Amino acid sequence: MRPPPPLRTHLTRYPSSTHHLHPFSTSPSSHADHTHVITGGGAIGLSIAHHLTRTHPPPHTKTLLLERHPTLGLETSRRNSCVIHAGLYYGPSSLKTKLCLRGRELLYNFCAENDVAHRRTGKWIVAQTEGEWQALERLRAHAERIGVETRVVGTKEARREEPDLRAEVGVLESPTTGIVDSAGLMRVLRGRFEDQGGEVRVNTPVKRFERDDATGEYIIHTTSSADSSPQRITTETLINAAGLFAIPLSNTLLPSTHHHHPYYAKGSYYTYTRPFPTSQPRRLIYPAPSPHISGGLGTHLTLSLGGAIRFGPDVEWTTSPTDYSVNTSRLEEAIAAVQTYLPGLDPAGFEPAYAGIRPKLSEQGGATWGSEGFRDFYFKEETEVGMPGFVNLLGVESPGLTSCLAVGEWVEGLLYR
């Protein structure tokens, strides 16, 4: 597999092996159970845990990863499109762009080096109107500014490559987009973390956070997986990577003036089981981004590594972060969206597959820079409210999976610069 193109927008790179931990505790020596505790065993939490133990291994540190489920990565990290994003959508100075670009580079290399299944499929974004084509032109100009490769696909090539595709005005290609086995990625990260001396505790739901002002240590209140009895864990540093539950947990620790309200965008996916009229698509296909689509990038075509076709996600705002049932009443609307770019598909071939939920920081939850309600990642150490060593990762939606290795690098740099 050829390497990704050179990265032009860089994160600050922090040296690690020669740096020492911030004196987070106000006491001369800490008696906390752990140096680092990460709450949330998805791709982001695992990457942070991996980076911390790789650069600051035992016996000088102790790192613990907590997960509420019996298996890691059962929520947002797995219930998504499993796309390696190029970084087209998020604004030139945003953390989403910076971490996506760096993360894409790291992820392709990590997967190749560790035999994690992945494929550089490429992606076509299609325009049916002049207004949509103008949106793609803006996307193309933005991509050029941040160093992301794109290409306009000619009409003859589009018809030859994807004969069933309708693209009335034009097609923009993103050749560095791909797909990844997210479960396989997380297995490797867990193995690396544990081999480096880290500890994973599953079946350990976290109830709340607390800070001991006398010692500066953080207290994590959990329940025992054996008998649900209350337990407490102390740590010098606390990384909140709890995904859908990160905001409620943050609100148990931060003052009310710094509370956030959680919003949840549920998205259903559908498989297509009938033959395509001419040939099955060989790449991902997305509609042009629209400011009128709240919370997502539109119902798009993605591929599994086994070649299966799926469409989604749609957007259904919900108050529940745990309801993963597919809302079949939305199937007709999803089919209509797909048929704008694949008009020959048989509606009878669509079947409900699975649903995922994206944590959002705003009620409109726009997914693209400039759309209503677009919010960048909220990633910060909460020092301004007197919480040094508490790192908050809120609103981790797309491109979180693509960015996960860069986020691990970023958090390690934040704590050890």
Side-chain angles (χ1 to χ4, degrees), residues 124-127 133 136 151-154 158 165 167 169-173:
W124 282 8
I125 313 170
V126 298
W133 181 248
L136 295 192
R151 183 179 71 93
V152 174
V153 179
L165 180 67
V169 181
V171 175
L172 185 68
E173 181 181 44

Side-chain angles (χ1 to χ4, degrees), residues 70-265:
T71 303
L72 300 182
L74 292 182
E75 294 177 354
T76 310
S77 295
R78 196 173 303 190
R79 291 176 170 271
N80 60 73
S81 301
C82 295
V83 170
I84 301 175
H85 285 284
L88 298 175
Y89 298 107
Y90 316 111
S93 60
S94 69
L95 262 182
K96 286 185 175 180
T97 291
K98 294 178 180 179
L99 293 169
C100 185
L101 297 188
R102 176 66 179 157
R104 185 195 67 200
E105 176 189 27
L106 292 172
L107 188 54
Y108 273 127
N109 291 337
F110 185 89
C111 289
E113 292 167 3
N114 293 277
D115 296 322
V116 176
H118 67 291
R119 184 161 27 125
R120 192 187 298 258
T121 57
K123 174 173 77 176
W124 282 8
I125 313 170
V126 298
Q128 313 297 346
T129 68
E130 288 296 335
E132 290 183 352
W133 181 248
Q134 290 173 11
L136 295 192
E137 288 282 19
R138 291 191 294 271
L139 208 60
R140 185 186 181 199
H142 168 62
E144 185 174 0
R145 286 195 297 271
I146 63 173
V148 173
E149 182 183 356
T150 59
R151 183 179 71 93
V152 174
V153 179
T155 302
K156 289 183 179 179
E157 180 186 356
R159 288 174 179 167
R160 181 180 67 250
E161 291 288 313
E162 301 291 357
D164 295 323
L165 180 67
R166 173 194 284 164
E168 295 287 350
V169 181
V171 175
L172 185 68
E173 181 181 44
S174 170
T176 58
T177 298
I179 53 177
V180 64
D181 174 8
S182 62
L185 171 66
M186 289 185 283
R187 280 195 299 271
V188 172
L189 286 171
R190 177 178 184 170
R192 289 283 196 91
F193 172 57
E194 291 180 322
D195 288 346
Q196 291 157 182
E199 180 187 355
V200 173
R201 290 186 198 171
V202 296
N203 290 316
T204 308
V206 175
K207 301 301 183 183
R208 63 185 177 92
F209 299 146
E210 183 183 350
R211 187 169 189 263
D212 185 332
D213 291 332
T215 64
E217 296 170 358
Y218 293 94
I219 303 165
I220 300 107
H221 294 270
T222 73
T223 54
S224 166
S225 59
D227 56 11
S228 297
S229 61
Q231 295 188 338
R232 67 198 299 273
I233 299 164
T234 59
T235 181
E236 292 181 60
T237 63
L238 173 59
I239 298 98
N240 178 17
L244 294 165
F245 300 92
I247 288 177
L249 284 175
S250 173
N251 290 348
T252 68
L253 180 63
L254 297 189
S256 60
T257 53
H258 287 71
H259 284 189
H260 297 262
H261 183 81
Y263 299 93
Y264 305 109

Side-chain angles (χ1 to χ4, degrees), residues 20 148 171 327 330 355:
H20 300 284
V148 173
V171 175
N327 187 346
R330 302 178 64 87

Side-chain angles (χ1 to χ4, degrees), residues 36-78:
H36 322 109
V37 171
I38 302 101
T39 60
I44 295 283
L46 280 164
S47 172
I48 294 167
H50 161 61
H51 276 85
L52 288 172
T53 52
R54 181 174 62 87
T55 54
H56 308 281
H60 305 294
T61 64
K62 291 179 65 179
T63 301
L64 172 66
L65 177 72
L66 299 176
E67 169 54 45
R68 65 192 294 266
H69 292 293
T71 303
L72 300 182
L74 292 182
E75 294 177 354
T76 310
S77 295
R78 196 173 303 190

Side-chain angles (χ1 to χ4, degrees), residues 344-373:
L345 298 195
D346 182 353
F350 288 82
E351 296 180 359
Y354 63 95
I357 303 172
R358 288 154 280 175
K360 294 281 189 177
L361 291 170
S362 72
E363 192 169 9
Q364 296 82 21
T368 59
W369 176 53
S371 62
E372 186 177 3

